[in-house]
């Protein structure tokens, strides 16, 4: 889309809009982490190409959350959920950030405020799981899974318990799951991670509780995530900024928004949540000036969004479409490696090879 300012008809915005019908039975959404783990960066094009298989085609998407640019480069700034699993739940003052998400039914959804509770339920006590992945601090119990990388990356001053979901159980962000203990290690650290197992890692008082467990014991995990105080079950989620939500319940934020002209990336959903919008606006060039997040919301509202959040912009802003790659003109001059991205995925039927119509 090529838009011009209504008051002078001269200043131009180059806008790239992706609208996906969530009712299509062959289309899903999936978040991808840079290089497949919470620390690391990769261009959205490489994320999509690497993730595509014979039966899953990552055909379009954008960059996602703001991310750490020094030290643990690529670490997202907010809650990160991939395929019904908590990939990263950071410290408390960041979990309140806005989210762009897809629920367990495949519908688009956003959160202005959200909260997460994770508990390990044992025979004689219930223990709080402080967060998922990244750093384990004093007296904390932390859940680790394959999104953290090859290992938990913990030191030796704790106890780690490898667990596996029981047959018929599946990971979910809200619900109760049964698992069995498959390994217990004390004073070792950096337990390996794989797709079929998770690890509960405890330090201090939590290590003492984990030391009571033995291989073969059954445990219960009780998780809950709420958007605006309402319990939801989220399949994919990417964090936003700490400004006012740009579009909420059909209303564009008139204050507290990001009032600077920059390249922008946004995620939104229609009133029925049946349409997901991913939008990129070019900026920082003589051709396309960029926009405030208020204008970003107005564009989305015009094309049918009812709720929307602002994702990482600037040189990170990228709309990918297979097989063309980056469709917009990134302000860096080339595609930037980012911490994560959200993609529309075509699920190719493996057994339906009949030509219905030409």
């Amino acid at each position: 889309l090529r838009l011009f300012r209504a008051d002078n008809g001269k200043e131009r915005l180059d806008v790239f809009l992706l609208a996906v019908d969530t009712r299509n039975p062959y289309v899903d959404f999936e978040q991808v982490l840079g290089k497949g783990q919470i620390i690391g960066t990769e261009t959205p094009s490489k994320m999509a190409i690497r993730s595509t298989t014979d039966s899953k085609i990552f055909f379009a998407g954008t960059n996602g959350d703001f991310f750490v640019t020094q030290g643990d480069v690529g670490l997202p700034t907010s809650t990160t959920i991939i395929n019904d699993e908590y990939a990263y739940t950071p410290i408390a003052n960041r979990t309140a950030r806005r989210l762009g998400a897809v629920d367990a039914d495949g519908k688009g959804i956003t959160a202005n405020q959200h909260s997460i509770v994770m508990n390990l339920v044992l025979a004689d006590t219930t223990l709080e799981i402080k967060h998922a992945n990244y750093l384990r601090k004093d007296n904390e119990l932390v859940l680790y899974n394959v999104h953290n990388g090859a290992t938990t990356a913990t030191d030796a001053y704790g106890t780690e318990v490898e667990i596996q979901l029981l047959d018929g159980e599946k990971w979910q962000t809200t619900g109760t799951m049964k698992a069995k203990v498959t390994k217990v290690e004390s004073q070792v650290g950096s337990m390996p991670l794989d797709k079929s197992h998770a690890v509960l890692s405890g330090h201090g008082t939590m290590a003492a509780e984990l030391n009571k467990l033995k291989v073969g014991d059954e445990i219960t995990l009780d998780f809950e995530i709420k958007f605006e105080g309402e319990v939801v079950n989220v399949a994919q989620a990417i964090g936003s900024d700490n400004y006012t939500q740009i579009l909420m319940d059909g209303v564009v934020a008139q204050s507290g928004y990001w009032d600077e002209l920059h390249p922008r990336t946004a995620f939104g959903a229609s009133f029925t949540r049946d349409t997901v919008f991913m939008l990129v606006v070019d900026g920082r060039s003589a051709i396309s000036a960029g926009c405030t997040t208020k204008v970003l919301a107005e564009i989305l509202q015009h094309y049918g969004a009812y709720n929307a959040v602002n994702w990482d912009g600037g040189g990170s802003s990228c709309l990918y479409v297979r097989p063309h790659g980056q469709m917009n003109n990134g302000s860096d001059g080339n595609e930037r490696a980012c911490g994560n991205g959200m993609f529309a995925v075509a699920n190719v039927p493996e057994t339906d090879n009949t030509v219905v119509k030409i």
Side-chain angles (χ1 to χ4, degrees), residues 185-322:
E185 288 184 346
S186 182
Q187 304 296 304
V188 177
S190 288
M191 184 174 276
L193 296 166
D194 61 51
K195 291 182 178 180
S196 60
H197 296 86
V199 171
L200 293 165
S201 181
H203 175 275
T205 56
M206 291 299 178
E209 294 291 342
L210 293 183
N211 283 333
K212 300 175 184 177
L213 293 172
K214 299 179 177 61
V215 172
D217 285 352
E218 291 191 4
I219 62 167
T220 299
L221 299 167
D222 191 12
F223 295 171
E224 182 180 85
I225 182 169
K226 291 181 178 180
F227 282 13
E228 329 305 346
E230 296 292 327
V231 176
V232 291
N233 208 341
V234 180
Q236 318 286 337
I238 287 179
S240 176
D241 56 32
N242 55 4
Y243 289 81
T244 302
Q245 182 168 330
I246 62 173
L247 177 63
M248 190 170 179
D249 296 336
V251 179
V252 174
Q254 299 298 311
S255 62
Y257 58 86
W258 200 330
D259 193 18
E260 297 173 349
L261 301 182
H262 292 295
R264 300 288 183 186
T265 300
F267 175 94
S270 62
F271 174 75
T272 61
R273 304 195 291 116
D274 287 335
T275 303
V276 162
F277 301 93
M278 287 184 268
L279 178 71
V280 166
V281 176
D282 275 347
R284 298 178 183 170
S285 76
I287 297 174
S288 183
C291 65
T292 67
T293 59
K294 178 175 181 286
V295 170
L296 189 70
E298 289 171 342
I299 297 170
L300 280 164
Q301 183 192 49
H302 176 78
Y303 286 101
Y306 189 71
N307 288 290
V309 296
N310 175 57
W311 279 351
D312 188 17
S316 297
S317 285
C318 173
L319 179 75
Y320 165 85
V321 174
R322 176 187 171 94

Side-chain angles (χ1 to χ4, degrees), residues 151-171:
T151 75
T152 60
T154 52
D155 60 33
Y157 303 105
T159 295
E160 297 193 314
V161 175
E162 182 187 76
I163 61 172
Q164 184 176 34
L165 293 182
L166 298 183
D167 291 344
E169 297 284 319
K170 63 178 183 178
W171 289 105

Side-chain angles (χ1 to χ4, degrees), residues 124-163:
D124 59 348
T125 187
T126 296
L127 306 174
E128 178 190 9
I129 300 173
K130 195 68 176 178
H131 62 89
N133 292 326
Y134 197 45
L135 299 177
R136 182 197 67 198
K137 298 181 180 179
D138 292 349
N139 299 310
E140 282 188 348
L141 176 62
V142 176
L143 174 70
Y144 288 96
N145 55 37
V146 71
H147 303 297
N148 193 65
T151 75
T152 60
T154 52
D155 60 33
Y157 303 105
T159 295
E160 297 193 314
V161 175
E162 182 187 76
I163 61 172

Side-chain angles (χ1 to χ4, degrees), residues 35 58 77 96-97 100 104 110 116 121 155 168 202 231 255 262 313 323-324:
K35 297 183 178 176
F58 287 65
T77 62
R97 288 177 181 237
T110 65
I116 296 170
V121 182
D155 60 33
V231 176
S255 62
H262 292 295
H324 308 291

Side-chain angles (χ1 to χ4, degrees), residues 31-32 42-45 47 60-67 238-239 263-267 278-281 310-320 326 328 335-343:
Q31 182 194 160
V32 179
E42 197 171 20
T43 65
S45 292
M47 292 179 196
T62 70
N63 63 294
D65 198 357
F66 300 80
F67 58 92
I238 287 179
R264 300 288 183 186
T265 300
F267 175 94
M278 287 184 268
L279 178 71
V280 166
V281 176
N310 175 57
W311 279 351
D312 188 17
S316 297
S317 285
C318 173
L319 179 75
Y320 165 85
Q326 184 175 21
N328 64 301
E335 196 175 341
R336 178 184 289 180
C338 303
N340 56 8
M342 184 75 85
F343 297 89

